[in-house]
């Protein structure tokens, strides 16, 4: 026998508040049940100060297909309980009518919610009205196939930017178990550009801005190399005894080669082998326990790389300078891949899983008339599992809930400790900010 849900005082307050709260509720606290009962309470007119809302003017967003099925089932169950308990008369008839209209309510995942908006406004979204939506798996296969073709063509074309050859040489086409290959890197960056609403050319422009800092970066590298030489010579001239003195004597033997390596690095003539000499010099240095040389030792170890590691602020400055041209070349290749992916999507009239969100956000921002129409068409928007919302999804919900002049009442539920969709760009700080 099913037990009736009896809300706690806090749950009852959340269900019946006339405000627009964000609820933090832990696992097993009944937050989805609360959301379902608030959904019904809004339709039934149980909340003081809020007139009854027709189901077609309600929307509830969840973050999984099964969750959407579960939420709809819970709402139906609440309706059935309310109808069974209601005495014959107009209130019971109103509940029965609302129950019949429940299929008109928008209870779905954020992707299905956005797909419906795009289907209703294809021209405003810049889409062919007959577009096909690819699910998450098909989207990945489609994009990977096209990105691979772009990179293969670029590698084979001697006149193309060498960026593709650099990427494949560094990562392989498909990468390995623990890191993405050239295809994965291209898709990841192209996807981030789209999610941030940047055109492919933006990446090229940022790489150009980075390259424009070359004189500043050369000066920074020379300054760090000069500071390293001064610190090293101060340390090597220090008069200390014991184990520290012995290590300094050993370091003096290595210093001429290390100094020559520093000069090459400062002049940007290094080919990378100089770092082995410098790491040998660091390995020979004494530790920082002797107070006479402590400051110099700590500073040198922050500047110079440890054995078998290309780290330290001197190496970072050198690496940044050496990265200028590869950055420009790889940016050009990824921008080319992103444009090609856009062209192919338009040609094949397909919308990928991520496109559902990207295109909806873009349309709502660019077309205030469309955004206002949806704000006016919805009286309430409830969102479950908000800890699994990413910044793009948050922007869509914010655009729909923005008063301009009308907006749906927003009800958000989540628990940052239960965030599970990091692999889908979910950002738990979005919920914390909410």
């Amino acid at each position: 026998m099913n037990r009736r849900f009896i809300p706690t005082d806090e749950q009852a307050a959340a269900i019946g508040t006339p405000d627009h709260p964000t609820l933090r509720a832990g696992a097993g606290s009944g937050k989805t049940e609360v959301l379902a009962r608030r959904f019904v309470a809004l339709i039934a007119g149980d909340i003081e100060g809020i007139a009854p809302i027709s189901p077609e003017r309600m929307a509830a967003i969840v973050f999984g297909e099964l969750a959407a099925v579960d939420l709809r089932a819970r709402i139906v169950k609440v309706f059935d309980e309310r109808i069974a308990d209601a005495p014959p008369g107009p209130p019971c008839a109103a509940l029965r009518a609302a129950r019949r209209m429940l299929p008109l309510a928008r209870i779905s995942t954020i992707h299905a919610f956005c797909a419906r908006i795009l289907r209703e406004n294809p021209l405003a979204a810049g889409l062919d009205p007959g577009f096909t939506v690819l699910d998450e798996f098909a989207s990945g296969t489609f994009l990977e196939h096209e990105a691979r073709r772009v990179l293969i063509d670029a590698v084979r074309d001697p006149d193309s930017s060498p960026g593709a050859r650099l990427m494949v040489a560094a990562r392989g086409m498909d990468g390995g178990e623990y890191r993405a290959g050239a295809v994965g890197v291209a898709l990841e960056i192209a996807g981030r550009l789209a999610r941030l609403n940047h055109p492919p050319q933006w990446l090229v422009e940022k790489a150009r801005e980075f390259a424009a800092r070359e004189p500043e970066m050369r000066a920074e590298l020379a300054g760090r190399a000069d500071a390293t030489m001064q610190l090293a010579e101060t340390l090597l001239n220090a008069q200390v005894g014991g184990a520290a003195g012995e290590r300094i004597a050993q370091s003096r033997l290595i210093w001429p080669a290390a100094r020559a390596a520093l000069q090459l690095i400062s002049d940007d003539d290094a080919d990378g082998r100089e770092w082995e000499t410098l790491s040998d010099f660091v390995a020979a240095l004494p530790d920082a326990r002797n107070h006479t040389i402590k400051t110099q030792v700590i500073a040198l170890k922050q500047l110079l790389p440890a054995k078998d590691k290309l780290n330290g602020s001197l190496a970072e400055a050198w690496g940044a300078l050496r990265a200028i041209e590869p950055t420009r070349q790889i940016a050009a290749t990824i921008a080319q891949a992103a444009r090609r992916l856009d062209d192919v999507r338009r040609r094949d009239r397909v919308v990928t899983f991520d496109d559902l969100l990207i295109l909806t956000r873009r349309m709502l921002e660019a077309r205030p008339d469309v955004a206002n129409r949806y704000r006016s068409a919805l009286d309430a928007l409830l969102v479950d599992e908000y800890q699994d919302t990413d910044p793009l999804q948050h922007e869509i919900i914010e655009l729909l809930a923005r008063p301009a002049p009308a907006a749906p009442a927003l009800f958000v539920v989540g628990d940052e400790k239960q965030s599970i969709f990091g692999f889908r760009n979910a950002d738990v700080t979005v919920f914390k900010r909410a």
Side-chain angles (χ1 to χ4, degrees), residues 215-229 262 265-267 314 317 321:
E216 170 194 339
M217 293 162 70
R218 285 190 181 281
E220 182 177 359
L221 176 62
R224 290 187 184 184
D226 186 58
T228 303
M229 291 182 192
L262 276 171
I265 288 166
S266 178
D267 294 339
L314 183 66
L321 191 60

Short mmCIF file of all heavy atoms in Angstrom, two decimals, residues 215-229 262 265-267 314 317 321:
data_model
loop_
_atom_site.label_atom_id
_atom_site.label_comp_id
_atom_site.label_asym_id
_atom_site.label_seq_id
_atom_site.Cartn_x
_atom_site.Cartn_y
_atom_site.Cartn_z
N PRO A 215 57.33 41.30 -28.50
CA PRO A 215 58.41 42.13 -27.93
C PRO A 215 58.37 42.14 -26.39
O PRO A 215 59.41 42.04 -25.73
CB PRO A 215 58.12 43.52 -28.50
CG PRO A 215 57.36 43.26 -29.76
CD PRO A 215 56.52 42.06 -29.47
N GLU A 216 57.18 42.25 -25.84
CA GLU A 216 57.03 42.25 -24.38
C GLU A 216 57.49 40.91 -23.79
O GLU A 216 58.16 40.88 -22.74
CB GLU A 216 55.55 42.48 -24.06
CG GLU A 216 55.16 42.28 -22.62
CD GLU A 216 53.64 42.20 -22.46
OE1 GLU A 216 52.91 42.69 -23.34
OE2 GLU A 216 53.21 41.65 -21.43
N MET A 217 57.15 39.83 -24.47
CA MET A 217 57.53 38.50 -23.97
C MET A 217 59.03 38.27 -24.08
O MET A 217 59.64 37.64 -23.21
CB MET A 217 56.75 37.43 -24.74
CG MET A 217 55.25 37.47 -24.45
SD MET A 217 54.25 36.61 -25.69
CE MET A 217 54.70 34.92 -25.38
N ARG A 218 59.66 38.79 -25.14
CA ARG A 218 61.12 38.68 -25.27
C ARG A 218 61.81 39.43 -24.14
O ARG A 218 62.79 38.96 -23.57
CB ARG A 218 61.57 39.21 -26.62
CG ARG A 218 61.27 38.28 -27.78
CD ARG A 218 61.95 38.73 -29.06
NE ARG A 218 61.63 37.84 -30.15
CZ ARG A 218 62.18 36.65 -30.35
NH1 ARG A 218 63.11 36.22 -29.50
NH2 ARG A 218 61.82 35.89 -31.36
N ALA A 219 61.29 40.62 -23.85
CA ALA A 219 61.88 41.42 -22.76
C ALA A 219 61.71 40.70 -21.42
O ALA A 219 62.62 40.70 -20.57
CB ALA A 219 61.21 42.79 -22.72
N GLU A 220 60.55 40.07 -21.22
CA GLU A 220 60.31 39.34 -19.97
C GLU A 220 61.26 38.16 -19.85
O GLU A 220 61.83 37.90 -18.78
CB GLU A 220 58.86 38.86 -19.93
CG GLU A 220 58.51 38.14 -18.64
CD GLU A 220 57.06 37.73 -18.59
OE1 GLU A 220 56.31 38.02 -19.55
OE2 GLU A 220 56.67 37.10 -17.58
N LEU A 221 61.48 37.43 -20.96
CA LEU A 221 62.39 36.29 -20.94
C LEU A 221 63.81 36.75 -20.62
O LEU A 221 64.50 36.15 -19.79
CB LEU A 221 62.35 35.56 -22.28
CG LEU A 221 63.33 34.39 -22.44
CD1 LEU A 221 63.02 33.30 -21.42
CD2 LEU A 221 63.26 33.83 -23.86
N ALA A 222 64.25 37.82 -21.29
CA ALA A 222 65.60 38.33 -21.05
C ALA A 222 65.75 38.79 -19.60
O ALA A 222 66.79 38.56 -18.96
CB ALA A 222 65.89 39.49 -22.00
N GLY A 223 64.70 39.42 -19.06
CA GLY A 223 64.75 39.88 -17.68
C GLY A 223 64.87 38.73 -16.70
O GLY A 223 65.62 38.79 -15.73
N ARG A 224 64.13 37.66 -16.95
CA ARG A 224 64.19 36.51 -16.04
C ARG A 224 65.54 35.80 -16.16
O ARG A 224 66.08 35.32 -15.16
CB ARG A 224 63.04 35.54 -16.36
CG ARG A 224 61.68 36.09 -15.96
CD ARG A 224 60.58 35.08 -16.12
NE ARG A 224 59.29 35.68 -15.82
CZ ARG A 224 58.14 35.01 -15.79
NH1 ARG A 224 58.14 33.71 -16.04
NH2 ARG A 224 57.01 35.63 -15.53
N ALA A 225 66.07 35.73 -17.38
CA ALA A 225 67.38 35.09 -17.54
C ALA A 225 68.45 35.92 -16.83
O ALA A 225 69.35 35.36 -16.16
CB ALA A 225 67.71 34.97 -19.03
N ASP A 226 68.36 37.24 -16.95
CA ASP A 226 69.33 38.11 -16.28
C ASP A 226 69.22 37.98 -14.76
O ASP A 226 70.23 37.90 -14.04
CB ASP A 226 69.10 39.56 -16.70
CG ASP A 226 70.16 40.49 -16.15
OD1 ASP A 226 71.35 40.26 -16.44
OD2 ASP A 226 69.80 41.45 -15.43
N ALA A 227 67.97 37.92 -14.26
CA ALA A 227 67.77 37.76 -12.82
C ALA A 227 68.33 36.42 -12.35
O ALA A 227 68.92 36.33 -11.25
CB ALA A 227 66.28 37.85 -12.50
N THR A 228 68.20 35.38 -13.17
CA THR A 228 68.73 34.07 -12.82
C THR A 228 70.25 34.12 -12.71
O THR A 228 70.84 33.57 -11.77
CB THR A 228 68.31 33.02 -13.87
OG1 THR A 228 66.89 33.00 -13.97
CG2 THR A 228 68.81 31.64 -13.50
N MET A 229 70.89 34.78 -13.68
CA MET A 229 72.36 34.89 -13.64
C MET A 229 72.82 35.63 -12.40
O MET A 229 73.77 35.20 -11.72
CB MET A 229 72.85 35.62 -14.89
CG MET A 229 72.68 34.84 -16.18
SD MET A 229 73.35 35.78 -17.58
CE MET A 229 72.71 34.82 -18.96
N LEU A 262 71.86 29.69 -20.35
CA LEU A 262 70.99 30.84 -20.06
C LEU A 262 71.10 31.91 -21.14
O LEU A 262 70.11 32.54 -21.53
CB LEU A 262 71.35 31.45 -18.70
CG LEU A 262 70.74 30.79 -17.47
CD1 LEU A 262 71.35 31.37 -16.21
CD2 LEU A 262 69.23 30.99 -17.46
N ILE A 265 69.13 30.80 -24.15
CA ILE A 265 67.69 30.91 -23.89
C ILE A 265 67.26 32.37 -23.96
O ILE A 265 66.22 32.71 -24.53
CB ILE A 265 67.35 30.29 -22.52
CG1 ILE A 265 67.47 28.77 -22.63
CG2 ILE A 265 65.97 30.70 -22.04
CD1 ILE A 265 67.50 28.07 -21.31
N SER A 266 68.06 33.24 -23.39
CA SER A 266 67.74 34.67 -23.41
C SER A 266 67.71 35.21 -24.83
O SER A 266 66.89 36.08 -25.16
CB SER A 266 68.78 35.44 -22.59
OG SER A 266 68.53 36.82 -22.62
N ASP A 267 68.56 34.70 -25.70
CA ASP A 267 68.60 35.15 -27.09
C ASP A 267 67.62 34.38 -27.98
O ASP A 267 67.58 34.59 -29.20
CB ASP A 267 70.02 34.97 -27.66
CG ASP A 267 71.02 35.88 -26.97
OD1 ASP A 267 70.59 36.88 -26.37
OD2 ASP A 267 72.22 35.57 -27.02
N LEU A 314 61.12 30.76 -15.64
CA LEU A 314 61.96 31.01 -16.81
C LEU A 314 61.53 30.12 -17.97
O LEU A 314 61.41 30.58 -19.12
CB LEU A 314 63.43 30.75 -16.46
CG LEU A 314 64.44 31.04 -17.58
CD1 LEU A 314 64.47 32.52 -17.90
CD2 LEU A 314 65.83 30.55 -17.20
N ALA A 317 58.26 31.41 -19.47
CA ALA A 317 58.44 32.56 -20.36
C ALA A 317 59.03 32.13 -21.70
O ALA A 317 58.62 32.61 -22.76
CB ALA A 317 59.36 33.59 -19.68
N LEU A 321 57.01 32.19 -25.49
CA LEU A 321 57.59 32.82 -26.68
C LEU A 321 57.66 31.83 -27.85
O LEU A 321 57.32 32.16 -28.99
CB LEU A 321 58.98 33.35 -26.33
CG LEU A 321 59.65 34.28 -27.35
CD1 LEU A 321 58.81 35.52 -27.60
CD2 LEU A 321 61.04 34.67 -26.87
#
